Amino acid sequence: MSSASPRPPRPWWVGIVSGMASYIDAAAIVSFGIAIIVFQSALELNELQVGLASGALTFGVAVGAIFGGGLGDRFGRRPVFTVTMVMNIVALVALMVAPSFAVLLAGAVLLGLGAGADLPVSLSTISEAATDKNRGRLLGFSNLLWLAGAVAASLLGSAVAAQGMAGVRIIFGHLAVVALLVLLGRLTIPESEDWMAARAGRSRGVAAVRSDRTRVRELLRTPYAAPFMALTGFYTLTNLIANTTGQYGNYVLVNYGGVSLQTAALVGLPVLPISIFGYLWFMRIADKPVRFRYFTIGAVFQVLSPLTIAIFGVNVVTYLVSIVFTAVGTAFAFEGIMKVWAQRSFPTLLRTTAQGLIIAVARFAAALVAGVTPMLLAAGPSVLYGILAALGLAGCGWAWLVFRTRDAHDEFGSGTAPQDPTLAGTYLPASGHAT
């Protein structure tokens, strides 16, 4: 007598547990940025060592996204996101007890690799467990978890940083406990049924888009090249605005706006409710046809954010207006919509590879631009922010041109059949046309 098939996990449970990869990504970056100041004193690090450790984390995330995406498509979502969470825990424990620069650097590299590799796999896991009615909402929820991670790490760091290495142990210990709980939660989630079906079809030699399209070079061919290039360009260029705001906002206010560090640290707090409301509203509309209209509005705000400072200069008022524009722009025309479009643009066995590459290119670009940002600012804030406005316009414009028709025919919320047979796992006859 055959046993009953196990019940599939609830989409919201998968969304919460897998979406915690975004929480850990944000909290790791913020926590490390606070802890490195303590390490600098405790381990007597020089400027080169501080830069190497910080850069190792950033580049580790980028490299991890590349390899994690490919491994997730090849070996499955479940083993990769399990191994990466174990890597995160080991790295965090190493950072808690780091007695030397060598251990600090190794911990930073391992944490970056684990967090980066986990991101594309977790997104595909969420998408493939969801339904057409809640997929966008669940992907949008991972954005809210990212924000929660950044805020939690900031609040905890500000509370315990004065305790020196004891504070560092609390900061990374909190994240290690979270990672352990996430690992235990993920052990309850089975392998993606979509991935298993695609893998089984490939093993049997059945011609299907979702099982045949597995090589990276397919991303540079029709029909995947246009969305892949557009999503890469859009996410990379808009991420430069967000990364510069987050990494250099206080620096710009203090050095070019004549604002004290204490005041600069408080300027962004009133915008936090706007960011939360924006992410919640995106979850509300992410599975509806109206999402493209919201993307267009968000894209305008993405460009207006740096343009405000480029035109009117740096002071508390212009900076506050700029980050309000950033909050609206990132809610509707940034990572959330990128995740939604990426899930529907690529076949099952290329999905995490594509997302990993998109994330990696954006992180590499952010790290490189961050290195030259002080020099660009030396030429005047208007120069830097004018460049960012132009890049934001290019990225959003590229995505708008490519997805203005693709999004309208997307079966998410529109009720119409998808243009790409991949989305429905449609089988292909020998001629290569969808049946």
Side-chain angles (χ1 to χ4, degrees), residues 18-58:
S18 297
M20 286 299 291
S22 296
Y23 179 100
I24 292 172
D25 174 48
I29 293 171
V30 173
S31 297
F32 195 87
I34 296 171
I36 194 63
I37 300 173
V38 179
F39 280 125
Q40 184 177 16
S41 175
L43 301 180
E44 298 181 348
L45 305 179
N46 57 40
E47 288 79 2
L48 176 60
Q49 290 173 320
V50 171
L52 285 174
S54 299
L57 179 66
T58 302

Side-chain angles (χ1 to χ4, degrees), residues 97 120 139 141 144 146 154 165 198 201 203 219 227 268 290 339-340 345 376:
V97 301
L139 292 168
F141 183 66
L144 199 59
W146 193 98
S154 297
M165 285 304 297
S203 299
L219 294 174
V290 75
K339 292 174 180 178
V340 171
S345 296
L376 292 173

Side-chain angles (χ1 to χ4, degrees), residues 86-177:
V86 172
M87 290 171 60
N88 289 336
I89 294 171
V90 172
L92 290 164
V93 171
L95 291 171
M96 288 172 64
V97 301
S100 64
F101 173 70
V103 176
L104 171 63
L105 186 63
V109 171
L110 188 62
L111 181 59
L113 290 172
D118 202 26
L119 286 172
V121 178
S122 67
L123 294 177
S124 290
T125 301
I126 293 169
S127 174
E128 291 161 6
T131 67
D132 291 336
K133 294 182 179 180
N134 63 16
R135 186 172 289 110
R137 193 177 312 150
L138 289 174
L139 292 168
F141 183 66
S142 68
N143 285 351
L144 199 59
L145 290 174
W146 193 98
L147 181 63
V151 172
S154 297
L155 293 176
L156 181 61
S158 63
V160 304
Q163 300 179 27
M165 285 304 297
V168 167
R169 294 187 184 97
I170 294 173
I171 291 171
F172 288 124
H174 139 261
L175 204 48
V177 171

Side-chain angles (χ1 to χ4, degrees), residues 279-301:
Y279 286 142
L280 289 172
W281 194 261
F282 177 80
M283 290 172 61
R284 183 182 178 88
I285 57 92
D287 296 296
K288 300 177 181 179
V290 75
R291 67 170 176 263
F292 190 81
R293 190 180 306 163
Y294 276 91
F295 162 74
T296 304
I297 295 170
V300 172
F301 279 94

Side-chain angles (χ1 to χ4, degrees), residues 375-389:
M375 290 184 288
L376 292 173
L377 282 169
S382 294
V383 174
L384 171 65
Y385 285 93
I387 292 172
L388 290 176

Side-chain angles (χ1 to χ4, degrees), residues 194-274:
D194 281 3
W195 183 86
M196 289 192 296
R199 194 69 176 176
R202 180 174 171 79
S203 299
R204 295 195 305 268
V206 177
V209 174
R210 69 178 181 182
S211 58
D212 278 359
R213 305 295 194 267
T214 62
R215 298 179 179 86
V216 175
R217 63 173 178 265
E218 296 287 348
L219 294 174
L220 301 179
R221 298 176 178 175
T222 303
Y224 311 119
F228 175 69
M229 297 301 292
L231 289 172
T232 302
F234 162 64
Y235 185 54
T236 297
L237 296 178
T238 53
N239 186 58
L240 295 179
I241 300 174
N243 192 73
T244 301
T245 301
Q247 193 166 352
Y248 282 99
N250 291 342
Y251 180 90
V252 169
L253 274 174
V254 171
N255 290 281
Y256 297 93
V259 178
S260 69
L261 181 57
Q262 291 78 8
T263 302
L266 297 174
V267 170
L269 290 181
V271 181
L272 183 59
I274 299 175

